[in-house]
Amino acid sequence: MNDWRRARVAPERTHHLVDGEPLYAARFDEVLAFHAPGLSPVRRGSAAWHIDARGEPAYTRRFERTFGFYEGRAAVSSSEGWHHILPDGAELYPARYSWCGNYQDGRCVVRDSEGLYRHIDQAGRPVYAARWRYAGDYRDGIAVAQGEDGRSTHIDGRGELVHGRWFLDLDAFHKGFARARDDQGWTHVDGRGQPAYAQRFAMVEPFYNGQARVERFDGSLEAIDEDGRTVTVLRAALRSDSAALPADLVGV
């Protein structure tokens, strides 16, 4: 196993350790974790770059900030803006953005100069023409996107609507369900964007092994199954008015 795979950031964050011993002699103002192909972002003064397991620069260029490699691409920023580079420091594409995320599921979120979001592919090309008020990472080929009115939906890898339903708040899918908030409260929705059950809650957590913790509007906590049935009561009601809505839902 390569040493970089076992390397951990030292408590002072100036270098990396393997089994408690320094991986290399150099010291930096800040280092981050190693990612494949065995490179770590580092910073010294106003310059940032990536190093290999010997503590040596992976390329000659310098940036203002550097981040970890994901799917062989790393986000960097300079006075020109944000973009992605390859392990040898070469630019993945010529465009510059006001912010870049990390590659995940073959896609990456970027924010343009107007503050709008979209996804680019592994070559750095826009995946679709639309620009969103917000867009999240892809997970299993689906991402959350927020329209101009502040409501959110799911899009597929081409930027097409998955189910066409819109919510006040929305998460990515996890174990076949996504947390969603509509005018009545929080619920879980399936791949068609349909609620898994009729009731709404003040809060819901994702499903794990067929159960999710939820909070009712009276303050009680329960574990429910995927049909919305109570499995167990975790905390009794805190308020007598079970119809009370949390403050952020009043007037929605």
Side-chain angles (χ1 to χ4, degrees), residues 38-215:
L39 300 178
S40 165
V42 300
R43 179 181 59 82
R44 183 182 288 150
S46 60
W49 64 99
H50 289 87
I51 60 167
D52 60 22
R54 300 169 300 168
E56 298 294 329
Y59 45 76
T60 59
R61 301 183 67 184
R62 295 295 182 266
F63 304 95
E64 292 179 355
R65 296 195 70 182
T66 53
F67 300 88
F69 278 90
Y70 292 83
E71 299 185 358
R73 297 146 178 82
V76 299
S77 71
S78 67
S79 59
E80 298 176 346
W82 290 63
H83 65 291
H84 288 87
I85 62 169
L86 298 172
D88 63 359
E91 295 181 1
L92 180 60
Y93 49 78
R96 294 295 184 269
Y97 296 98
S98 65
W99 173 84
C100 291
N102 296 320
Y103 272 89
Q104 191 167 303
D105 234 22
R107 301 284 187 265
C108 181
V109 182
V110 296
R111 185 175 67 236
D112 64 23
S113 59
E114 297 179 49
L116 298 175
Y117 292 74
R118 68 178 3 164
H119 290 90
I120 58 175
D121 65 16
Q122 290 187 322
R125 299 168 301 209
V127 176
Y128 46 77
R131 295 184 300 165
W132 300 97
R133 181 173 170 180
Y134 169 80
D137 289 330
Y138 275 94
R139 180 186 295 173
D140 297 328
I142 296 176
V144 173
Q146 186 182 70
E148 293 183 1
D149 64 354
R151 292 181 178 259
S152 298
T153 191
H154 288 113
I155 58 174
D156 64 17
R158 299 171 300 171
E160 301 291 335
L161 300 185
V162 173
H163 46 67
R165 291 179 60 87
W166 298 80
F167 301 91
L168 295 176
D169 208 342
L170 186 64
D171 278 352
F173 282 100
H174 175 81
K175 307 290 186 182
F177 296 93
R179 299 186 328 124
R181 183 167 69 96
D182 60 18
D183 295 351
Q184 283 73 51
W186 282 94
T187 184
H188 294 89
V189 297
D190 61 21
R192 300 169 301 157
Q194 297 295 328
Y197 43 78
Q199 65 266 45
R200 297 294 186 271
F201 298 95
M203 178 278 297
V204 299
E205 295 183 359
F207 279 108
Y208 290 92
N209 296 334
Q211 295 186 13
R213 193 179 78 145
V214 301
E215 180 181 351

Side-chain angles (χ1 to χ4, degrees), residues 213 215-216 218-222 232-238:
R213 193 179 78 145
E215 180 181 351
R216 292 190 178 274
D218 62 7
S220 61
L221 293 178
E222 298 179 359
T232 184
V233 176
L234 303 172
R235 184 179 71 192
L238 301 179

Side-chain angles (χ1 to χ4, degrees), residues 20-38:
E21 297 296 325
L23 179 60
Y24 45 76
R27 296 295 182 269
F28 304 93
D29 292 342
E30 182 184 23
V31 303
L32 299 178
F34 278 95
H35 287 265

